[in-house]
Amino acid sequence: MELREKIHLVFGNNKWVLYIVGLLIGTALGIINPLASTHLEKNNVGNIWIGTISSSFFLFMSIGSIIISKKMKDKNIKVYILVGSLIAAMACGIFPLVSNLYILLLLMITMGFGISFNIVVVQTMVQNLAEAGTRGIVSGLYSFYFAIGFVLSSIIGPQLYISKSWIPFMIPIVTLILCPIILNYNFSEGLIFPEKSKGNVLKKVSIGLQGAFAYGFTETTLITLYPIFLLHQEYSLTNLGYALGIFVVGSIVGTIPMTYISDKYSRVNTLIIIIFISVFTISGIIISDSFVIRLIFSFLSGLVIGPIYPLSLAVTVQNLRKEEIPYGTSLFTSSYGIGSTVGPLISSTAMSLLGDGYIFSVCILIFVIFLFTRYMKRGKYGLKVAA
């Protein structure tokens, strides 16, 4: 296959537009959840309320993902992308201006609900446009651009917050409103959410949903609790930034190579291998007493955990018919949202009851359960090479 043809398969048919939209959504998310927690802490809100408000974002992202798949059959989804963007952007603009905790909770719920429309629709479009042999790398590129947006905004956001607390919250407003405008301009035809197939979709997507849940659980646990773990180990704030930063760098570096390999060989096998390696890299973070070695394991953890999201997405939809893809992607986003919701809650409970050293114990357990269930069902979901 010529290079030009390969590039067309990955970027053609306006796939590059969806990567840009992924960048914008990632930019919005890099501001909303991290800075919302920072804003609450700066206003002396208790940890229980901070955890509740932050978790509500992912919970209602999960709920919104299911609703969009059930309520929008045979309808032009451009309207719903616009509505989701507008309500999320409006809630984001109001958030730094109010202090009532119940209103803040409602605003965070609204943001999670609205953004779920964008995520499900865009991921569905990505998978509908992707050819069977390039689902892994196309999902990887979407996640790559999403991660770049998330990283840039999470770095810039706190700096802007120091100047004025409301300024960084303007970034998601702009990026979220740009999403439906860009999609409408580049996809002039109606975007119809097809009627769900009568087949057993859940059976086909179980592996991908497990991966999405495991990724959401582990990622939010690491982002939320890893800094607390390091603080308890008496590391400086600068070192905290290095540890999280090196994990994100590892995620970005690992995503495209891993997804490319998965398209050439087997997406399911690649997913199993990187989850197996993740058990050891996460264990290395906990066991090591040296900060330098912890940085190395943080990078390696990012290298193998980062690709779990796009690989799980590709695995979720690879055996689905076109009319089943919207339902599959909504289930995927919902599973990721549930994992992200319960991850910090369960892991913080483990830390409180058993000690700081058990911060990632439940993450490792979830990975082991995934590997065990794959072993028990080996051959049942066998895939062709380059599937």
Side-chain angles (χ1 to χ4, degrees):
M1 186 183 297
E2 293 183 2
L3 179 60
R4 182 179 297 180
E5 186 178 351
K6 290 181 180 179
I7 292 174
H8 177 76
L9 286 173
V10 175
F11 291 95
N13 296 328
N14 278 347
K15 291 189 206 61
W16 66 271
V17 175
L18 300 178
Y19 301 152
I20 298 301
V21 173
L23 176 76
L24 295 174
I25 296 173
T27 300
L29 289 180
I31 292 286
I32 290 173
N33 209 267
L35 269 192
S37 299
T38 300
H39 182 69
L40 292 171
E41 186 176 351
K42 290 291 183 182
N43 286 277
N44 300 314
V45 176
N47 289 335
I48 293 177
W49 267 106
I50 291 176
T52 301
I53 292 173
S54 298
S55 296
S56 68
F57 177 86
F58 292 106
L59 176 61
F60 279 83
M61 180 193 293
S62 176
I63 293 171
S65 301
I66 296 299
I67 289 175
I68 192 174
S69 72
K70 290 183 177 296
K71 300 295 183 183
M72 302 178 191
K73 304 305 177 189
D74 291 328
K75 296 179 182 177
N76 191 321
I77 56 179
K78 285 183 179 179
V79 175
Y80 296 97
I81 298 171
L82 178 61
V83 171
S85 295
L86 288 178
I87 64 172
M90 181 179 65
C92 188
I94 298 172
F95 191 90
L97 305 178
V98 299
S99 57
N100 185 284
L101 293 177
Y102 295 101
I103 295 177
L104 290 171
L105 176 62
L106 178 61
L107 291 171
M108 189 63 92
I109 287 171
T110 303
M111 283 187 272
F113 191 77
I115 286 177
S116 71
F117 289 16
N118 292 54
I119 292 176
V120 171
V121 168
V122 174
Q123 289 184 162
T124 298
M125 292 173 68
V126 168
Q127 296 305 321
N128 270 327
L129 291 175
E131 288 75 10
T134 59
R135 288 203 188 279
I137 187 63
V138 168
S139 298
L141 277 167
Y142 170 79
S143 297
F144 175 81
Y145 281 92
F146 182 97
I148 292 294
F150 188 95
V151 170
L152 289 177
S153 61
S154 62
I155 292 172
I156 295 171
Q159 304 302 319
L160 296 175
Y161 186 87
I162 294 172
S163 175
K164 290 285 185 180
S165 62
W166 57 269
I167 291 178
F169 288 93
M170 297 299 103
I171 296 175
I173 294 177
V174 174
T175 58
L176 289 173
I177 291 176
L178 280 174
C179 288
I181 294 174
I182 292 173
L183 289 174
N184 188 66
Y185 181 78
N186 288 279
F187 295 90
S188 56
E189 71 279 5
L191 302 174
I192 304 298
F193 229 91
E195 189 68 39
K196 190 179 79 175
S197 171
K198 302 290 186 184
N200 189 352
V201 174
L202 196 59
K203 183 178 179 181
K204 298 178 184 178
V205 302
S206 61
I207 303 175
L209 298 191
Q210 278 187 277
F213 177 86
Y215 176 82
F217 192 105
T218 304
E219 180 205 35
T220 51
T221 294
L222 196 144
I223 291 174
T224 306
L225 299 179
Y226 191 25
I228 296 174
F229 171 78
L230 293 175
L231 278 175
H232 290 176
Q233 301 291 313
E234 299 184 351
Y235 290 113
S236 67
L237 291 174
T238 302
N239 285 340
L240 264 63
Y242 287 146
L244 283 178
I246 200 70
F247 172 82
V248 173
V249 170
S251 297
I252 293 173
V253 170
T255 295
I256 293 179
M258 293 294 183
T259 51
Y260 176 77
I261 290 170
S262 75
D263 281 336
K264 286 185 68 67
Y265 300 101
S266 165
R267 298 184 192 111
V268 171
N269 288 342
T270 305
L271 183 61
I272 290 171
I273 290 168
I274 62 175
I275 286 180
F276 178 76
I277 297 171
S278 297
V279 173
F280 296 97
T281 60
I282 294 175
S283 300
I285 293 175
I286 301 171
I287 296 171
S288 174
D289 291 327
S290 166
F291 182 68
V292 174
I293 295 177
R294 276 192 171 132
L295 284 181
I296 294 171
F297 277 112
S298 295
F299 175 79
L300 294 175
S301 294
L303 201 69
V304 289
I305 292 174
I308 291 176
Y309 184 94
L311 263 178
S312 297
L313 177 58
V315 168
T316 297
V317 302
Q318 67 181 4
N319 293 326
L320 299 181
R321 295 189 296 273
K322 192 166 186 178
E323 65 270 19
E324 295 173 328
I325 288 177
Y327 187 50
T329 54
S330 68
L331 286 173
F332 175 87
T333 306
S334 180
S335 185
Y336 165 75
I338 293 170
S340 299
T341 301
V342 302
L345 297 176
I346 296 176
S347 297
S348 61
T349 301
M351 288 177 69
S352 299
L353 295 176
L354 304 173
D356 288 352
Y358 290 85
I359 176 175
F360 297 125
S361 58
V362 184
C363 299
I364 292 173
L365 178 62
I366 289 171
F367 284 160
V368 170
I369 290 172
F370 175 91
L371 295 171
F372 179 75
T373 56
R374 289 309 99 215
Y375 175 77
M376 295 300 293
K377 295 180 180 181
R378 64 192 184 279
K380 189 175 182 180
Y381 301 100
L383 298 171
K384 297 177 181 179
V385 174

